[in-house]
Amino acid sequence: VQLQAFGGGLVQPGGFLRLSCAASGSIDSINAMGWYRQAPGKQRELVARITSGGATNYADSVKGRSTISRDNAKNTMYLQMNSLKPEDTAVYYCNGGIRIRGRIKFDDYWGQGTQVTVSS
């Protein structure tokens, strides 16, 4: 099982990006998923989280500017980020609680990260 994050890049302040995170492998079920980010010299922080039922929560720093969503049929999660600011610059990681087929418990998986740089 692996998570792959896509969609990062260089964008000007005020711009937008859509990140995607695709889970693949022998997946039975995916629980909550989330986006985290880590800027240079800072700790990794939660950006947004979504449950399997679609309930969401956001960090105050992105609330109102970002929307997290998921397509359970495709095992894919998205993060639409608008009105981007230089302080949004970070490596963005996706995370998910995944149960492999034939197992009982969920395990925590992380994607490889995708760089988002907001700069003029």
Side-chain angles (χ1 to χ4, degrees), residues 45-88:
E45 63 176 2
L46 175 69
V47 177
R49 185 175 178 272
I50 184 167
T51 68
S52 57
T56 60
N57 65 283
Y58 298 88
D60 287 343
S61 58
V62 304
K63 200 174 293 183
R65 301 188 293 121
S66 298
T67 302
I68 189 171
S69 60
R70 63 191 284 174
D71 184 334
N72 291 332
K74 295 181 179 179
N75 290 333
T76 302
M77 172 181 64
Y78 308 95
L79 182 68
Q80 176 72 37
M81 297 191 295
N82 301 321
S83 302
L84 282 163
K85 305 174 181 180
E87 50 264 43
D88 293 317

Side-chain angles (χ1 to χ4, degrees), residues 5 10 26 45 57 98 100 108 110:
L10 173 64
S26 185
E45 63 176 2
N57 65 283
I98 299 175
I100 295 176
D108 210 30
W110 289 88

Side-chain angles (χ1 to χ4, degrees), residues 1-6 21-30 33 71-77 94 96 98-101 109-112:
V1 170
Q2 63 175 353
L3 294 176
Q4 287 188 295
F6 306 92
C21 174
S24 61
S26 185
I27 297 170
D28 176 71
S29 180
I30 303 178
M33 302 183 76
D71 184 334
N72 291 332
K74 295 181 179 179
N75 290 333
T76 302
M77 172 181 64
C94 59
I98 299 175
R99 182 170 64 197
I100 295 176
R101 290 195 187 105
Y109 289 86
W110 289 88
Q112 82 286 6

